């Protein structure tokens, strides 16, 4: 059973456009929601993260929107660039034991 | 980059043989994890450790065992490899922190079971 559901599976965006990836969860005990970016042949790396007491967090072109009541969160990439082409994973951390649960990933392609 | 080394990086083996993957960290982080990555499934937790000799099962632990005899080393063992265990395996480390709790990943170990 997937603890964190992620969509879409793949996304193609024109350069300069907005990329949006959505995630949903059921476990209200999750206390930390990171997004990871992965390039081919590499391990995932933390991109941006949010805690559930905050509704939005912005770092440069990357923004997380968090809706606690709907148990949903999303990643917005503004002014998408070809260098943003990668696989993106949302995740959630349990508030005991430090376990992280990942979504199934979104393959983003930004067309020049 | 976080000091995480996985070995071997690539391995081809045959069904029924034992396989051990090693994760070595130089960060002295308390938590260590083994994930497998498969298309359509994302990253799934196999086992994790919250201290020396303290380990627990993750979502997909069947067919795998782990050991952590030192803070810096976390071993993943496939006692008898099967083709369904063909995957890319990632080690990760973390220090739980309310502020961040970031996971740092290694470069991955690609295992092919024939």
């Amino acid at each position: 059973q997937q603890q964190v559901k992620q969509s879409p599976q793949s996304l193609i965006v024109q350069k300069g456009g907005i990329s949006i990836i959505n995630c949903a969860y059921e476990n209200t005990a999750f206390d930390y929601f990171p997004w990871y970016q992965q390039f081919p042949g590499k391990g995932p790396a933390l991109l941006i993260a949010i805690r559930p007491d905050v509704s939005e967090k912005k770092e440069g072109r990357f923004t997380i929107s968090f809706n606690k009541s709907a148990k949903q969160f999303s990643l917005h990439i503004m002014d998408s660039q070809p260098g943003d082409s990668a696989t993106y994973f949302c995740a959630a951390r349990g508030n005991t034991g430090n376990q992280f649960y990942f979504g199934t990933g979104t393959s983003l392609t930004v067309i020049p | 980059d976080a000091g995480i080394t996985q070995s071997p990086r690539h391995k081809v083996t045959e069904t029924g043989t034992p396989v051990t993957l090693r994760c070595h960290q130089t960060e002295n982080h308390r938590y260590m994890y083994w994930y497998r990555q498969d298309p359509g499934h994302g990253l799934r937790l196999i086992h994790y450790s919250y201290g020396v000799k303290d380990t627990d099962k993750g979502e997909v632990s069947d067919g795998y065992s782990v050991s952590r005899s030192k803070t810096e080393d976390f071993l993943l063992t496939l006692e008898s490899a099967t083709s369904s265990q063909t995957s890319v395996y990632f080690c990760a480390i973390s220090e739980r922190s309310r502020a961040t709790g970031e996971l740092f990943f290694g470069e991955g170990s690609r295992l092919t079971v024939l």
Side-chain angles (χ1 to χ4, degrees), chain B residues 3 11 15 19 29-30 32-33 39 53 67 71 81 84 89 94-95 97-98 101 107-108:
Chain B
K11 185 173 183 65
T15 298
V19 176
H29 280 7
R30 177 183 176 189
M32 298 187 75
Y33 309 79
K53 296 186 179 178
S67 65
T71 298
S84 65
Y89 292 86
S94 174
E95 270 297 338
S97 160
R98 175 154 177 78
E107 295 282 274

Side-chain angles (χ1 to χ4, degrees), chain A residues 66-89:
Chain A
F66 189 86
N67 185 330
K68 188 173 181 178
S69 61
K71 292 185 280 189
Q72 295 175 347
F73 58 112
S74 60
L75 175 69
H76 295 236
I77 306 174
M78 311 300 288
D79 187 27
S80 298
Q81 299 296 312
D84 297 331
S85 297
T87 299
Y88 293 81
F89 294 97

Side-chain angles (χ1 to χ4, degrees), chain B residues 43-63:
Chain B
L43 291 154
R44 292 181 291 174
L45 181 64
I46 304 171
H47 282 279
Y48 70 103
S49 170
Y50 47 96
V52 173
K53 296 186 179 178
D54 291 324
T55 64
D56 207 349
K57 296 179 180 180
E59 306 164 85
V60 290
S61 59
D62 287 348

Side-chain angles (χ1 to χ4, degrees), chain A residues 88-100:
Chain A
Y88 293 81
F89 294 97
C90 61
R93 183 183 72 181
N95 63 358
T96 59
N98 216 42
Q99 291 193 49
F100 287 79

Side-chain angles (χ1 to χ4, degrees), chain B residues 8 10-14 17 19 110-114:
Chain B
H10 301 271
K11 185 173 183 65
V12 179
T13 191
E14 295 193 349
T17 60
V19 176
R110 182 175 293 276
L111 176 66
T112 302
V113 183
L114 302 175

